[in-house]
Amino acid sequence: MFWECNRKYFDHKLPTPKYGLLHSFRILARFEYDRRKGKVDKRKRLLFSDYFDFDEETFRNIMVHEMIHYYLLLYGTNDKCDHGADFKAMAQEMNQKYGLNITTSFDASGIPNSPNAPKRTWWRCFHL
């Protein structure tokens, strides 16, 4: 999915990161990086919760959400990786141009658990 989204939405501009899993109902995905001596370290990772059984459309929207953080870190003016004005503008542009649904938060209550996830006992709006 990363390579497809990188080609389609980011013109192959993002180097392939490491991937990892989050064991969490609260956080669906996260882009992580290390900053050392004023430079972005090579340790960039995309992490996704393994507690959900995402359908392809939802996973694509979450993937692109995290890739926007990555893109703005490398090419944007704000390296905080937050959901500020730059993030919202880029998400809105991608939503309009490609028919995506990139948001800053997501209600995951309708997404089924993955087979090995613990039972959910509460519902909330989950953060990306």
Side-chain angles (χ1 to χ4, degrees):
M1 180 69 72
F2 175 85
W3 297 296
E4 179 183 326
C5 292
N6 196 17
R7 175 188 52 79
K8 188 171 185 176
Y9 310 122
F10 297 93
D11 195 30
H12 295 287
K13 290 183 179 177
L14 299 176
T16 303
K18 301 279 186 193
Y19 304 99
L21 297 175
L22 295 167
H23 307 300
S24 173
F25 283 120
R26 185 163 169 75
I27 300 171
L28 299 179
R30 178 184 315 166
F31 170 66
E32 290 185 342
Y33 68 98
D34 286 341
R35 175 169 287 292
R36 298 178 188 213
K37 297 181 184 177
K39 293 185 176 182
V40 176
D41 193 294
K42 291 183 179 183
R43 289 175 248 182
K44 296 173 282 294
R45 299 188 318 160
L46 291 174
L47 306 171
F48 296 89
S49 175
D50 62 350
Y51 282 7
F52 295 95
D53 188 11
F54 298 114
D55 60 50
E56 186 175 338
E57 178 183 359
T58 301
F59 188 72
R60 178 181 310 277
N61 285 316
I62 294 169
M63 174 68 77
V64 173
H65 172 113
E66 298 309 325
M67 291 174 78
I68 291 172
H69 286 302
Y70 188 10
Y71 183 90
L72 291 174
L73 175 70
L74 296 179
Y75 304 107
T77 57
N78 183 349
D79 65 354
K80 294 179 185 176
C81 288
D82 61 8
H83 296 122
D86 290 344
F87 179 93
K88 289 176 183 172
M90 192 167 183
Q92 182 179 7
E93 178 183 331
M94 290 198 159
N95 289 342
Q96 291 173 349
K97 186 174 182 180
Y98 299 108
L100 297 170
N101 186 26
I102 311 304
T103 60
T104 58
S105 63
F106 184 79
D107 181 0
S109 61
I111 298 175
N113 287 10
S114 65
N116 296 325
K119 182 179 178 184
R120 277 190 262 188
T121 57
W122 47 268
W123 302 101
R124 293 180 54 125
C125 185
F126 299 87
H127 297 280
L128 300 168

